[in-house]
Amino acid sequence: MSFVCLLANRNGAVVSSDTRITYNLLGKQLNLHYDHKQKVFRADRGRILWGAAGIAMSGISIVNLEVEKIFSRSDLSLDERILRIRRYICRISKQFYKMMLKKSDGIIHIVYASYIDPEAPIAGEIFALNGDITTDRTCPLPVYLQMGSNAAFLPPAEPLSDEMSIDELTEFAAERVRLAISYDKNRKAEDPGYNITVGGSIRSRSVSI
């Protein structure tokens, strides 16, 4: 799985990730990966930042395209967009789980920050597992959100403040991705059979107010 983190405050937001995509077959990890995956995005003329991680192979690419379309629907309120995304990722995660004969979880995890109303920015995350939404929350700013296979193993992130600039947020995010990549490399050194799922380069998207 990937590593994606989002940092947001009153000055703007940054979402960063690794670029690795790994493959599995019916729940079994294959020693096959590519380091070209786009996992972080801007939508609605740059007013929404978001990142995605989850189902392997081409599935998450298809999800990203559809989520991008929904987030870009400026004719809809943010609440309506989130509702449509919830419904969509529930359906796709369930279909994936069934397609994998229930041997590989259908996971889709999305983090986002919206500056549609610059006076009331908001961030949140949605997590779908095998057809169910297990996390759906919004967060007051400033906030740090992270997701992915190594998220629980990283040192706690330092608290954010509204005083941090976009450049400071970007470096903060990049350092978290570097930590996640290093963690996977260290696991591989300790266990040669471990399949590295976080790697490649660091990609970021940002929006400033």
Side-chain angles (χ1 to χ4, degrees):
M1 198 173 172
S2 311
F3 181 84
V4 181
C5 64
L6 181 142
L7 298 82
N9 65 13
R10 295 288 173 176
N11 295 320
V14 176
V15 60
S16 296
S17 76
D18 71 314
T19 56
R20 179 152 300 186
I21 179 171
T22 52
Y23 296 86
N24 67 57
L25 180 62
L26 299 181
K28 295 183 179 180
Q29 288 286 347
L30 304 177
N31 189 23
L32 179 62
H33 68 265
Y34 296 99
D35 290 328
H36 60 68
K37 194 64 180 173
Q38 184 68 32
K39 306 174 186 180
V40 294
F41 308 89
R42 273 192 298 253
D44 195 2
R45 302 184 300 279
R47 298 188 299 175
I48 296 176
L49 284 184
W50 63 282
I55 56 179
M57 296 181 286
S58 62
I60 196 66
S61 297
I62 297 169
V63 170
N64 290 345
L65 289 172
E66 185 61 28
V67 172
E68 180 81 9
K69 290 179 183 178
I70 298 171
F71 266 137
S72 296
R73 288 283 304 272
S74 57
D75 57 314
L76 301 175
S77 69
L78 180 63
D79 287 344
E80 179 61 28
R81 295 181 224 189
I82 295 301
L83 179 60
R84 293 188 182 204
I85 289 169
R86 276 174 48 104
R87 291 171 177 164
Y88 175 71
I89 65 175
C90 270
R91 176 168 57 85
I92 296 300
S93 65
K94 185 175 183 178
Q95 289 176 354
F96 182 87
Y97 186 50
K98 289 183 175 180
M99 183 179 72
M100 291 295 171
L101 305 180
K102 300 185 177 181
K103 294 182 179 181
S104 182
D105 283 331
I107 294 172
I108 303 174
H109 198 166
I110 292 171
V111 292
Y112 64 90
S114 169
Y115 291 81
I116 294 173
D117 181 355
E119 299 301 317
I122 192 171
E125 65 175 323
I126 315 168
F127 187 94
L129 174 64
N130 303 333
D132 295 315
I133 295 293
T134 61
T135 301
D136 181 11
R137 65 177 180 133
T138 56
C139 311
L141 274 53
V143 67
Y144 171 78
L145 299 172
Q146 65 181 21
M147 61 185 184
S149 54
N150 294 341
F153 302 103
L154 299 185
E158 295 181 7
L160 297 186
S161 78
D162 274 332
E163 311 308 315
M164 296 177 72
S165 68
I166 290 297
D167 287 344
E168 290 173 319
L169 293 177
T170 300
E171 180 52 37
F172 189 120
E175 179 58 26
R176 297 300 290 179
V177 180
R178 281 193 287 267
L179 282 172
I181 292 173
S182 294
Y183 176 84
D184 249 29
K185 287 180 178 178
N186 292 336
R187 282 192 66 180
K188 181 69 172 180
E190 295 171 359
D191 177 9
Y194 175 71
N195 190 27
I196 295 178
T197 61
V198 180
S201 59
I202 299 171
R203 287 185 180 169
S204 299
R205 294 289 183 270
S206 64
V207 58
S208 58
I209 301 303

